[in-house]
Amino acid sequence: MKSIEPIVVFEHETFHFKEEHKKMKLDTALENYHGDGTPFFSLVKNGVKFNQHVGILKVGHTTIEVLPKADNNEKDAWRQLLIDMIKTVWGFDVKISGSADLKLKSTSVLDLYFELYIKELEYLLHRGLIKRYNKKEGNLNALKGSLQFSKHIAQNLVHKERFYVKYSHYNVDHKIHCILYKALKLIEQNYNQAGLASRIGSLLLNFPEMSDLKVTESTFETINFDRKNQHYENALQIAKLLLLNYHPDVSRGKNNVLALMFDMNRLWEQFVYVILKKNIKHIDIKVRAQQSKEFWRSETGTSRMKPDIVLEHNDKTIVLDTKWKNLNGRFLPSPEDLRQMYAYHRYFKATKTALIYPGEESKLIAGDYSAIEHDEITDKLTCGIAFISTHQDIKQWKENIVSFVNDHFLSTAD
């Protein structure tokens, strides 16, 4: 398969097109893709400027990898951390027969999803594909199902031995498998890892060829899971991500775009929440995410506030709001963020609040709200600035987050 050296940049970085990229029409393809309203980058003179979204943009044969950056770690380290964050947040539990090694040695986010998907399909084939009843109609040599009289007369006036009928057929050619097969064909067109070639080929040989199906968001909304098809959920989750983020180049067909991009602000929030939820197991501590509370109303509607993480411990409430930002050594949050935390304090009756940032070293900087005259409540409110050290080893990073929250918030929540 033809492959071109990937472009690797950090979030918020500007990439300028070289002559070779212009020859491949990469600049034109990204301009056209940006015209669809995608939020992943903005156009600048002779290039593109990326924002807080990270992941993979595959344009034709060119891969653009956008990595997060919160410290001085190199690109290889941040690539692995990004992959580990995604695996942690989405909780991929890849099932496969036998005692195969489940350690993923992916070199990019795209490779991660391709390998996860291939393992899921291998597992499904080994277990056996489920069958469903499908409604079909056509000419048969035997009367089966219900006769479609008008079509039967129109098509079989001469062929008296045939019947145009509508009937139920019990087989593997149904919507779920059509989706999975379509995603497999997409991977066949877009993979870069040479090690996947034989596995993709084997899947295409063993997975029955399915009818083509136009896939939209609503296609997945109509799928109901039960005990017979529950084991398909992981594969369909990945297939949905791949198919709904694939943008074919309908004009020339050479610069199809596959975008697997993640908002780092949201990913950081989910990452911290999942780690705390899984690792803080004390019976008296509850970890909640996006707990909503109304704080304004009028005859035209209401507005609600949703802090990222709320910890409840012995009738005490701690509100944490995650921010994927580099404060560049100033340790001064934006006024908007501080005002937001003040509102959380008052409306959630919080004992403590804090803004959680990634950092090179873990530390908590205490902060107090300045009291208004004769306002004893504000005089007691605090908002800390918490920096949790990123670490090249994901296990150590998770331990840093849990121990930091335990030491600075839960053990002192009195």
Side-chain angles (χ1 to χ4, degrees), residues 214-223 240 243-245:
K214 183 179 179 180
V215 176
T216 64
E217 187 83 37
S218 61
T219 307
F220 294 90
E221 292 172 357
T222 57
I223 296 175
K240 178 180 179 180
L243 293 172
L244 296 187
N245 288 285

Side-chain angles (χ1 to χ4, degrees), residues 289-292 305-310 319-321 344 348:
Q290 296 280 318
Q291 196 169 12
S292 177
M305 58 171 60
K306 291 192 296 185
D308 294 341
I309 301 169
V310 176
V319 176
L320 306 177
D321 224 46
Y344 290 159
F348 284 84

Side-chain angles (χ1 to χ4, degrees), residues 158-175:
V158 175
H159 297 282
K160 305 293 185 182
E161 77 282 3
R162 295 180 186 172
F163 302 90
Y164 195 95
V165 294
K166 180 182 285 186
Y167 61 99
S168 295
H169 188 53
Y170 190 63
N171 65 1
V172 296
D173 191 355
H174 51 80
K175 182 169 69 173

Side-chain angles (χ1 to χ4, degrees), residues 112 270 368:
L112 167 68
Q270 293 173 309
D368 303 304

Side-chain angles (χ1 to χ4, degrees), residues 107-364:
T107 56
S108 74
V109 174
L110 194 61
D111 295 327
L112 167 68
Y113 277 96
F114 285 178
E115 187 162 356
L116 284 169
Y117 188 71
I118 288 168
K119 288 193 177 198
E120 282 295 324
L121 285 198
E122 289 170 341
Y123 162 74
L124 293 175
L125 279 173
H126 178 78
R127 179 164 173 167
L129 300 180
I130 59 174
K131 294 182 178 181
R132 287 279 191 267
Y133 281 104
N134 296 303
K135 293 292 184 183
K136 291 196 171 188
E137 62 177 65
N139 266 321
L140 298 181
N141 291 324
L143 183 60
K144 179 181 180 181
S146 59
L147 185 68
Q148 305 300 293
F149 194 74
S150 59
K151 291 183 179 180
H152 173 71
I153 295 296
Q155 295 193 28
N156 296 325
L157 200 58
V158 175
H159 297 282
K160 305 293 185 182
E161 77 282 3
R162 295 180 186 172
F163 302 90
Y164 195 95
V165 294
K166 180 182 285 186
Y167 61 99
S168 295
H169 188 53
Y170 190 63
N171 65 1
V172 296
D173 191 355
H174 51 80
K175 182 169 69 173
I176 290 179
H177 290 155
C178 291
I179 292 171
L180 298 182
Y181 185 75
K182 194 178 185 79
L184 178 60
K185 294 294 287 183
L186 185 153
I187 290 176
E188 181 195 22
Q189 297 167 18
N190 289 280
Y191 76 94
N192 287 322
Q193 270 190 304
L196 296 180
S198 61
R199 295 169 66 188
I200 293 171
S202 177
L203 283 171
L204 288 170
L205 283 173
N206 291 288
F207 201 100
E209 187 172 348
M210 296 291 154
S211 308
D212 191 28
L213 176 71
K214 183 179 179 180
V215 176
T216 64
E217 187 83 37
S218 61
T219 307
F220 294 90
E221 292 172 357
T222 57
I223 296 175
N224 296 313
F225 290 101
D226 53 36
R227 61 182 182 83
K228 290 184 178 180
N229 67 359
Q230 194 67 45
H231 56 292
Y232 277 74
E233 191 168 3
N234 274 356
L236 284 167
Q237 181 186 12
I238 303 171
K240 178 180 179 180
L241 188 74
L242 295 173
L243 293 172
L244 296 187
N245 288 285
Y246 181 62
H247 303 262
D249 179 5
V250 294
S251 60
R252 297 186 179 181
K254 293 182 179 179
N255 285 314
N256 301 325
V257 177
L258 176 61
L260 292 183
M261 301 291 283
F262 307 88
D263 187 325
M264 270 308 298
N265 294 311
R266 179 67 175 147
L267 184 59
W268 173 236
E269 171 199 326
Q270 293 173 309
F271 181 65
V272 174
Y273 167 71
V274 168
I275 289 170
L276 295 179
K277 185 74 173 176
K278 286 183 177 180
N279 293 282
I280 295 179
K281 302 183 182 299
H282 197 285
I283 192 170
D284 294 328
I285 300 174
K286 293 183 174 62
V287 183
R288 306 184 190 278
Q290 296 280 318
Q291 196 169 12
S292 177
K293 185 167 286 192
E294 179 184 286
F295 79 101
W296 181 88
R297 73 171 71 91
S298 76
E299 60 184 22
T300 59
T302 62
S303 183
R304 307 183 71 84
M305 58 171 60
K306 291 192 296 185
D308 294 341
I309 301 169
V310 176
L311 304 174
E312 296 173 355
H313 176 49
N314 294 336
D315 298 325
K316 306 294 183 182
T317 300
I318 300 100
V319 176
L320 306 177
D321 224 46
T322 57
K323 303 293 179 184
W324 185 263
K325 295 179 181 176
N326 188 337
L327 297 183
N328 298 315
R330 296 180 62 226
F331 307 131
L332 184 62
S334 71
E336 291 78 12
D337 289 342
L338 291 171
R339 292 181 193 123
Q340 184 182 48
M341 300 308 290
Y342 179 82
Y344 290 159
H345 240 309
R346 301 297 293 262
Y347 278 84
F348 284 84
K349 296 184 170 75
T351 311
K352 293 179 182 293
T353 66
L355 294 162
I356 308 291
Y357 298 89
E360 293 190 24
E361 58 177 317
S362 296
K363 61 181 172 182
L364 177 67

Side-chain angles (χ1 to χ4, degrees), residues 7-11 13-15 50 55 64-68 75:
I7 297 166
V8 184
V9 297
F10 282 119
E11 58 179 323
E13 195 172 317
T14 299
F15 173 75
F50 295 94
I64 303 173
E65 189 174 12
V66 186
L67 301 175
K75 288 178 177 177

Side-chain angles (χ1 to χ4, degrees), residues 49-104:
K49 179 176 175 57
F50 295 94
N51 53 26
Q52 78 276 10
H53 288 85
V54 300
I56 291 287
L57 277 170
K58 195 169 191 305
V59 185
H61 294 295
T62 305
T63 300
I64 303 173
E65 189 174 12
V66 186
L67 301 175
K69 186 173 177 64
D71 56 22
N72 293 323
N73 281 343
E74 297 298 323
K75 288 178 177 177
D76 286 345
W78 272 112
R79 179 182 294 111
Q80 190 57 51
L81 283 173
L82 175 59
I83 289 172
D84 289 334
M85 287 178 77
I86 291 170
K87 287 162 63 179
T88 300
V89 167
W90 274 270
F92 287 118
D93 178 22
V94 183
K95 308 174 190 69
I96 192 169
S97 59
S99 57
D101 180 12
L102 298 186
K103 185 177 180 181
L104 298 174

